[in-house]
Amino acid sequence: MATPLLQEFPELSNFSREDLEDLLNDPVYFQAFFHSLDRVKYMYRAQAELGMANESIAKNNVALQESLYNLRAETQAAFDDAKSLEKRWKELEKEQKERFTPQFLLMRLKHATTAQDDATEAMASTFVQQQAALPSLSREDGTGTPRGGLEVDEFIQQFKEARKTYHKRAIAHSIFQEVHVNGVSQGHTAGIRVPEYDGPISDVNSNDIICNGGINPYRQPVSQKIIDVPAGAQVTAEWHHTLRGAEPNNPSDPIDPSHKGPVMVYLAQIPNAAQSSVTGLKWFKIYHDGLDSSGVWGVDRLVRNKGKMTYTIPTCIPDGQYLMRVELIGASILALHGAQSYPGAQFYMECAQIRISGGGNVNPPTVSFPGVYKGTDPGVRVNIYSGIRSYTIPGPDVFTCPAGSGPTQPAAPIPTVTPTQPAVTTTAAPVPSAPAGPTVPQYGQCGGSGYTGPTQCSSGQSCTKVNDWYSQCL
């Protein structure tokens, strides 16, 4: 009968009982039988083969030991180099962040601007000294140019190029950042989509030309205020070099006086003045100030007035919400210092959110942004260094109300806000009947050079001259 033992070791099937007892009782006999088994012999052969293979591997490893040690050393050195490079990278990254902060770049640009200014002054001084020191007719051809000196035309060309570089480096940007209605401030940056950076827009075909806010992102959160403005009100837009407001000790506030160009104001009716989308609006111009006959620019007058420009809201336009796009050499400005080629002129603009009341029913002709300005327009592509005596302001003509048109209802009063100008103790007397023409409310502009609005003050007020450019109802 087959048992599990015989099935596992068939060699025992021929053993008698006595043989099996001897196998169990005699260790020598057991070892002899055990090592005679085929499977044991196979295991011994396999063990021997594995031993020889391990010995061969060991000998190979010993032969490679020096190379392995060298590779390990090289790996460690490469790891150490990588750690060192990582440390240096972090140091360079920190250095780059420090070197290229806005403050550092601004400082470098200011230094470069100063150096360029000094270089042009030295160029002019050297030329003048050469002209004074040498005989005027020292050249054989008798042209009147000192020997060894520059031709006058050549000097002028070189000086122009050097000054253009200076003006391009000059930190002279500006931001429209406060609205005054009839002399009353509506709050700093309140109701205006102001950017964090005062950089220009140079592409007249970009949507950034509408209200900025693209390459110069708006300060967040964008103001949701909508400023109430009566039709016929005197509105003052206030500009400054940065969003810090007025900086009396900064020669570039509100904008560097070396920059020249016009200032302009547009309106566009909009369903909600606080909505984010500004594309597709229809604009009309209500004010502009360019180059006058004495060679003074609109921006020059802005600088003289400490960043303020005042204009009148037309009395005949419909009530509703509008965007007021103010444009000038600093945050709504056209900077012409590099505009002899396109792109070269710098456009600065911001949009205020207003609600007009007490107006009429006249719909002005409109234009589109982008679209109304072209790179080839004479007011965009112009060389202000060429001694120009006249200048074509970009865009359409200023809209004026037709004769006999005017408000269809009394203008709603604006909210009471603490005025930025000293309060006047007298108050306007009630008007018994409608005036013959538009009148200027208390604190509004009623005269001044270049002013074309109403000159008659409301009852109880008189038009008082403040300076050559501004008269006010007091």
Side-chain angles (χ1 to χ4, degrees):
M1 183 179 73
T3 64
L5 179 63
L6 294 178
Q7 290 177 352
E8 184 69 23
F9 296 99
E11 293 87 349
L12 297 175
S13 62
N14 296 324
F15 278 47
S16 65
R17 180 182 181 87
E18 291 80 4
D19 291 336
L20 293 175
E21 289 178 352
D22 291 342
L23 184 63
L24 293 175
N25 295 327
D26 187 348
V28 176
Y29 185 25
F30 179 83
Q31 289 294 328
F33 173 76
F34 177 76
H35 287 91
S36 69
L37 296 174
D38 289 338
R39 71 185 65 185
V40 173
K41 292 177 182 178
Y42 174 77
M43 291 176 61
Y44 275 123
R45 286 196 300 270
Q47 182 181 21
E49 291 173 358
L50 287 174
M52 288 187 292
N54 286 340
E55 182 180 2
S56 175
I57 292 172
K59 289 179 180 179
N60 187 53
N61 286 344
V62 169
L64 294 174
Q65 184 176 19
E66 184 176 356
S67 298
L68 291 172
Y69 282 152
N70 291 337
L71 287 173
R72 184 172 69 175
E74 292 175 4
T75 302
Q76 183 64 47
F79 178 78
D80 292 342
D81 288 344
K83 294 294 290 184
S84 176
L85 289 172
E86 181 183 22
K87 180 181 178 181
R88 179 57 180 157
W89 171 260
K90 290 181 178 178
E91 292 173 351
L92 288 173
E93 193 174 37
K94 180 181 178 182
E95 180 181 344
Q96 293 301 309
K97 287 181 179 178
E98 293 174 350
R99 287 188 62 189
F100 295 103
T101 60
Q103 294 82 2
F104 181 80
L105 292 175
L106 179 61
M107 178 189 70
R108 290 188 61 187
L109 187 55
K110 286 183 176 179
H111 288 172
T113 302
T114 301
Q116 186 68 16
D117 192 30
D118 292 343
T120 56
E121 290 297 325
M123 180 189 299
S125 177
T126 299
F127 181 77
V128 171
Q129 290 175 5
Q130 289 177 345
Q131 293 288 325
L134 298 176
S136 61
L137 294 175
S138 59
R139 279 177 40 169
E140 294 179 358
D141 58 7
T143 60
T145 300
R147 187 185 306 275
L150 290 173
E151 296 277 0
V152 173
D153 291 343
E154 183 182 358
F155 163 75
I156 292 174
Q157 181 63 31
Q158 291 182 9
F159 187 76
K160 282 183 179 180
E161 292 300 319
R163 290 306 292 179
K164 279 195 296 184
T165 301
Y166 164 76
H167 286 305
K168 288 179 180 179
R169 292 176 177 174
I171 304 301
H173 303 161
S174 183
I175 299 177
F176 161 44
Q177 55 195 258
E178 191 161 345
V179 173
H180 305 258
V181 180
N182 289 331
V184 179
S185 170
Q186 302 302 300
H188 184 244
T189 73
I192 307 174
R193 305 173 185 214
V194 295
E196 288 285 357
Y197 175 61
D198 58 1
I201 304 300
S202 58
D203 183 2
V204 297
N205 299 312
S206 165
N207 281 339
D208 289 349
I209 200 74
I210 305 173
C211 288
N212 212 328
I215 60 174
N216 304 318
Y218 293 138
R219 168 176 282 188
Q220 298 297 323
V222 177
S223 176
Q224 296 299 298
K225 178 177 180 178
I226 299 177
I227 302 169
D228 287 307
V229 181
Q234 296 291 293
V235 174
T236 298
E238 184 170 349
W239 297 80
H240 289 294
H241 179 45
T242 70
L243 287 179
R244 291 189 295 268
E247 298 177 275
N249 296 323
N250 184 350
S252 292
D253 184 65
I255 191 167
D256 191 278
S258 65
H259 286 59
K260 310 296 181 184
V263 297
M264 293 165 279
V265 182
Y266 290 82
L267 291 178
Q269 198 159 18
I270 189 170
N272 178 6
Q275 70 184 52
S276 59
S277 174
V278 296
T279 57
L281 299 179
K282 299 302 181 182
W283 300 85
F284 57 97
K285 186 189 289 185
I286 64 169
Y287 174 81
H288 65 203
D289 183 13
L291 178 66
D292 66 17
S293 59
S294 62
V296 179
W297 289 87
V299 172
D300 296 330
R301 285 180 277 277
L302 178 81
V303 172
R304 292 176 185 175
N305 207 30
K306 302 185 186 305
K308 294 181 179 179
M309 49 185 284
T310 300
Y311 44 91
T312 303
I313 300 297
T315 59
C316 62
I317 60 177
D319 293 354
Q321 297 189 28
Y322 289 79
L323 287 182
M324 181 172 68
R325 180 182 179 274
V326 186
E327 187 173 20
L328 127 185
I329 256 188
S332 263
I333 301 178
L334 173 60
L336 299 175
H337 54 279
Q340 66 274 10
S341 62
Y342 175 81
Q346 297 177 352
F347 300 81
Y348 301 82
M349 74 297 299
E350 277 78 48
C351 290
Q353 301 155 180
I354 67 173
R355 181 188 295 109
I356 295 178
S357 59
N361 54 14
V362 177
N363 292 305
T366 59
V367 296
S368 298
F369 282 103
V372 63
Y373 296 161
K374 306 294 183 185
T376 54
D377 288 348
V380 173
R381 187 173 180 175
V382 58
N383 182 1
I384 65 171
Y385 297 103
S386 62
I388 61 174
R389 292 292 179 265
S390 63
Y391 171 74
T392 303
I393 299 175
D397 293 336
V398 171
F399 169 73
T400 56
C401 291
S405 65
T408 58
Q409 59 184 15
I414 62 172
T416 302
V417 182
T418 303
T420 56
Q421 303 187 38
V424 179
T425 55
T426 59
T427 57
V431 179
S433 59
T439 61
V440 181
Q442 188 178 15
Y443 304 125
Q445 184 179 4
C446 56
S449 178
Y451 175 73
T452 59
T455 58
Q456 180 180 352
C457 294
S458 59
S459 179
Q461 309 298 316
S462 61
C463 190
T464 304
K465 180 178 179 180
V466 177
N467 54 43
D468 290 341
W469 308 104
Y470 193 79
S471 297
Q472 188 175 32
C473 288
L474 298 171

